Structures are given as C-alpha cells and as structure tokens.
C-alpha cells in the first residue's frame, strides 16, 4: 500500500498521530523535496530529527527522482507498505496527483493522511476561507519574461469582492544555463520569492496593464513561515508591506477583497503601526 | 494563554504531536460542539477516548456556552493555559474569530495549532484546490423559506470555470417551535443535510431561477465522512449522485467546473459504473 502522509507546515511535531503510526509501520519511507522543503528538508538535521522520531531511514526524493523512480516506488508499494511524506497536505498547494494516478492505475491501494496546508492555514489572519477566489501563482520575472496571467485572475476575484491567495515562486534544482550548455547537471542555488519581490512584480504588471485592479494602497496580508515557531503575519497596504523584512522563506501573500466587520476586527490585530513591529507580530500571532 | 487546537477530521488520532503536547499541558480543556461534532463529540465514547488520550477532563462547549461563558474561559486563559479544541482546523469551515478577537482585545496571548480542514481535504478527489471559487452554504429549505443566494455565487464560479465547494446545513441545538412558544428550552433533534437533499434543493432553485447554471447532467463530487475510516467519495452527475446512499453525516458536495486532464484522470477513479459501488469506493479512496 502507498501511504501519502501530510506532515503539516512547521516541523516534525506537526505530523498527526495517525500519520506517525502509518510511517512507523512502513518498510520504505520517501519524502518529497519538490517545494516546501525548507522547514524540514534542506537542513540535514531536519531530516535526522524526522528519522529519529519515526525510527526509519528517509529517502529524500526530488522531482527528478520521483519521475525517474516512480516505477520502483510503486513496485515496492505493491508488495509492502511505502510512505510518501509531503510537507503540508498531500493535495494542498502542491499536488501529487500524478503519483496517485499511476498507483491507482496499477491497482495499488492508496491511503491519504490529511494535514494542514497553506491553503487553509491562511485562515488565521481572519479573512474567511470561503470568501477566496481562484488562487494565483507569481513566477519570478526576468528581463525578458514577465508572464502575468495572474493579473486577470486577480481582477476577476476583486470584481467579485473575493480575497486572492498568491503563491510565490520557488526555484529548486533549476539547471544552470551554463550547465545546460555544457551538457552537465549543475544547479542554480535555490530561490524563494519574498513578499517584497511579489509586490514589486504585482505593481509592475498593474503599471503595464493599467486596469486599476489594485495599487499601492491595496490592503494585503503577508505570511512568512506559516506554522513554524517564527511565523510572521502582517496586514498592511502594498506600499507598507513592500518595505517590511519578513525574513527567511517561505512567504505567501493575500490580496484582501471586500471585508466583513468580523474579518476587519481580526485583521486589525495584524496591522503594523508600532515601531516594534516584528516583536509585536510574533507575540500576537506566533 | 489560549490555545486553539485543530483536531483534524477523523478521530482522536488526527491531532498533531504539537497539538497533543499543548493540550496535555493545559489546565483547562474546552471542546467546541458547534458543528462537526459528529465524529468526536456526539458519541460519549468519542469524548472519553479523547480524555483518555489527553489525560484531561474535557468540557464540551456548545455555541450558547461559548457565548455565555466566554468571559470565564478568557479569564482562565489570562492566568493559566487553556485549550479550546476545534474539529478540523480553527479557521476552516467554521470560524472561531470571535473568541480570538475577544482574547486578543484583552491582551491574552493566543496560539493556534493548525490541522486539516474540509477546505483542503477535498483536494483528495483530484480537483486542484487553487481552482475553486467562492464557497457556498446550502441551508435546509422549508415550505415557505427557500433562501438561494448560493445560486448566484455558483453562477459566477461556473462562469469563470471554477469548482464550487458546497457546505451543507447542520442544525444542532435548534430550539423547537413548541418550546419557543412555551418559553422553555427544548431542542429539535440534530439534522445534517445529505448530498441527496442538497442536490434536490440545488435543482429546485435552478428550476425557479432558470439561468441554466447547472442541471441533472452537471458533474459533481460527493464526500461523506471525509477523513474518517469510512470516508466515501463518489464523482458523478447530479442525477447519479442524487440516488446514492452516502450513509451517515457529515456530507459535502463539490460542483465541478472546467477540468484539466490531470484532474479528470483522478476524478475517473471516483466515478461510479460498477454494480459494487460502495465497496469499490471504499477500497479506492478510504
């Protein structure tokens, strides 16, 4: 059987009892390193604290490996219990549908252990989850490549008064241009888009498109390291948030739509306004 | 300090290690009984298995109690650690913003322990979470009261090709008409809307409004007892799902928007088509 187990957002303590029970009985344990590998994955002591907790050796599987070794993972899952660990939830911001489809096509049983995802954890800021429109992704711009399909989606959401979650680009294991030319596998250092860069790009697109979808004064909420001990959440205008240092990744951003009074009351707690902003935020929201 | 701890969707095993650690160190433990109390709350052995796991006595707090005794809960949280347990996630389908706002206004520290919510667990059916529009609620109709504000929202979502999550009505501790007349507190038995009723009401509204937003042949996904061992997920047209017995609550329904091939591949696994439907679904999806 293939167990797809959500690990939650913070650290090794965010697995559920059900998830822990499953992973402990699995013969082989893989962990995805596609996207949100920061909190757990990159730091080798992150992995070893997981291994200690589970009493198992973990094979970290990046996208390439999952694609290349899917057959092996699935053939193991046919005859034994295999865990595939996913930061957040299995079907949250990152989907693992492909592996599931392949498993089910082969008649391998799949069980999912749910956990929190950024898609629901953003509820903590007080904006109601059912009042979000389509989620958008903001990719890193280059000098010559500025894809802006998110703009029209934000426009539609805002037209309906809905909030918009912006997921910010993560570049991990991108082959370097040099290595592509030389035919060797070398990778760029990982890059994670900050809230500041996201807002700059958003405003750049607004300037190009000129549909007045949002501007400097549009209310947003910035989230950094959601679910970790150092979680930081600040509400403010694009102009305000653009100059705040949210610290290390991962970041995401919500563009606030039409608000209800209850939502406003909660948002107020996250608004800046004191000198001692970060301290304030950590106390309130951590 | 006030800890708001998500319990997840299934049973006592769905709490996270972090959540368990927090609840164990709290001096007082409350548990919300607003909405999704089925899996844990209603059955008294559900509560006692939680109490056993936590080594704590749990005070089950219905909506009235939370409103009436909020001052007491908050004054306890001022001087000691108090846990408020919430089925699912703290800010998922049900929000507990009000209690948080009151706590923060009083300067009481609030910490949230995240968990899975129905809002992200529906991702398991393969429809991508970022392609959902506004979530709607379907209330029980009566002979004379048929509120249908969900219709326009579904229309807007479908106009944009987005999926729509429909949360189905839950009636718990509703005063009976008789008791209101007599001035005594007596309650109607709890009622939980089934997928069948939801679809009947949806089609009734379509017939009244006549905007061709959806019809008998519109593809939907029905979810019952999401996250529990007996979870059941079936994809099919409204006509097909209307006659399927999804069993005990809680139910919810997704109206499928425009799909991508990867979404379709996953959905296919949940489609009916065999005689042995329920068995099939449980094997595939549980």
């Amino acid at each position: 059987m293939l167990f797809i187990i959500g690990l939650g957002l913070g650290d090794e303590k965010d697995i559920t009892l059900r998830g822990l029970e499953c992973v402990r009985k699995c013969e082989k344990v893989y962990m995805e390193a596609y996207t949100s590998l920061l909190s757990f994955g990159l730091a080798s002591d992150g992995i070893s604290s997981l291994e200690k907790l589970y009493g198992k050796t973990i094979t970290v599987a990046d996208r390439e490996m999952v694609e290349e070794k899917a057959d092996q993972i699935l053939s193991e899952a046919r005859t034994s219990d295999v865990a595939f660990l996913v930061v957040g939830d299995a079907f949250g911001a990152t989907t693992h549908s492909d592996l599931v489809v392949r498993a089910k096509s082969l008649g391998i049983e799949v069980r999912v252990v749910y956990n929190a995802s950024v898609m629901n954890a953003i509820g903590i800021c007080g904006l109601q989850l059912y009042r979000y429109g389509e989620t958008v992704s903001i990719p890193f711009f280059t000098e010559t490549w500025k894809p802006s399909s998110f703009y029209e989606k934000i426009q539609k959401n805002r037209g309906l008064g809905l909030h918009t979650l912006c997921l910010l680009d993560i570049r991990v294991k991108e082959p370097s241009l040099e290595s592509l030319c030389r035919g060797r596998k070398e990778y760029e250092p990982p890059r994670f888009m900050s809230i500041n860069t996201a807002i700059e790009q958003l405003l750049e697109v607004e300037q190009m498109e000129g549909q007045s979808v949002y501007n400097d004064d549009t209310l947003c909420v910035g989230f950094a390291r959601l679910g970790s001990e150092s979680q930081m959440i600040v509400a403010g205008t694009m102009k305000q948030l653009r100059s705040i240092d949210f610290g290390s990744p991962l970041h995401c951003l919500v563009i606030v739509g039409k608000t209800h009074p209850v939502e406003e009351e909660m948002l107020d707690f996250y608004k800046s306004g004191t000198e001692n902003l970060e301290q304030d935020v950590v106390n309130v929201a951590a």
Side-chain angles (χ1 to χ4, degrees), chain A:
Chain A
M1 187 176 311
L2 178 64
F3 289 90
I4 303 196
I5 301 171
L7 298 183
L9 296 166
D11 60 28
E12 74 276 7
K13 285 187 190 171
D14 290 301
I15 196 169
T16 63
L17 302 187
R18 184 188 304 278
L20 186 58
E21 195 177 285
C22 288
V23 67
R24 280 188 175 155
K25 77 175 183 190
C26 281
E27 283 167 51
K28 200 78 194 266
V29 181
Y30 293 92
M31 178 170 169
E32 64 113 12
Y34 287 1
T35 46
S36 337
L37 30 60
L38 263 193
S39 356
F40 304 79
L42 270 190
S44 61
D45 60 333
I47 288 291
S48 71
S49 64
L50 290 183
E51 290 183 328
K52 211 166 140 186
L53 176 65
Y54 305 156
K56 299 279 173 182
T57 306
I58 297 174
T59 307
V60 176
D62 58 30
R63 187 186 296 271
E64 243 171 61
M65 179 176 173
V66 174
E67 277 163 18
E68 283 169 13
K69 297 206 177 168
D71 289 341
Q72 184 195 321
I73 296 174
L74 294 175
S75 97
E76 289 164 356
R78 190 192 285 280
T79 53
S80 63
D81 287 336
V82 173
F84 189 75
L85 308 179
V86 174
V87 176
D89 184 50
F91 303 100
T94 313
T95 61
H96 298 84
S97 292
D98 200 52
L99 192 64
V100 174
V101 166
R102 291 181 64 172
K104 289 189 174 184
S105 306
L106 293 167
I108 295 165
E109 263 194 88
V110 178
R111 273 174 206 260
V112 172
V113 180
Y114 300 108
N115 209 319
S117 155
V118 61
M119 307 292 284
N120 70 295
I122 52 169
I124 195 176
C125 77
L127 297 173
Q128 312 215 307
L129 289 180
Y130 58 83
R131 300 204 58 260
Y132 279 77
E134 186 170 5
T135 299
V136 304
S137 297
I138 316 271
F140 275 116
F141 285 178
T142 67
E143 276 306 306
T144 52
W145 193 69
K146 298 182 196 282
S148 60
S149 60
F150 55 79
Y151 185 76
E152 198 189 337
K153 290 174 184 170
I154 297 170
Q155 185 172 34
K156 285 174 178 163
N157 287 343
R158 290 180 68 75
L160 298 173
L162 302 175
H163 315 307
T164 307
L165 169 61
C166 306
L167 298 174
L168 309 189
D169 204 358
I170 294 171
R171 297 270 172 136
V172 179
K173 273 214 156 182
E174 297 286 321
S176 67
L177 192 59
E178 206 189 346
S179 84
L180 283 177
C181 298
R182 290 189 192 164
R184 278 201 312 216
K185 278 198 180 173
E186 276 166 19
Y187 301 100
E188 299 282 356
R191 291 172 72 200
F192 304 92
M193 187 182 287
S194 68
I195 289 164
N196 318 80
T197 302
I199 291 175
E200 275 158 30
Q201 292 193 181
L202 280 162
L203 290 171
E204 188 181 339
V205 172
E206 174 59 59
Q207 210 157 31
M208 293 192 299
E209 303 279 342
Q211 304 280 311
S212 302
V213 172
Y214 48 77
N215 60 42
D216 255 356
D217 296 321
T218 300
L219 187 61
C220 294
V221 186
F223 300 82
R225 301 170 303 285
L226 198 55
S228 81
E229 298 281 343
S230 69
Q231 157 180 295
M232 182 174 169
I233 303 168
V234 186
T237 63
M238 285 201 179
K239 193 177 173 182
Q240 286 170 331
L241 298 193
R242 186 160 50 158
S243 61
I244 289 176
D245 180 5
F246 280 89
S248 53
L250 298 176
H251 294 184
C252 67
L253 180 72
V254 168
I255 303 174
V256 180
K258 216 176 141 194
T259 49
H260 289 293
V262 184
E263 292 178 297
E264 286 159 23
E265 271 188 308
M266 273 287 280
L267 270 190
D268 282 344
F269 288 107
Y270 296 104
K271 282 187 181 154
S272 62
T274 62
E275 295 279 313
N276 194 6
L277 180 65
E278 190 165 352
Q279 186 56 37
D280 208 51
V281 170
V282 170
N283 282 344
V284 173

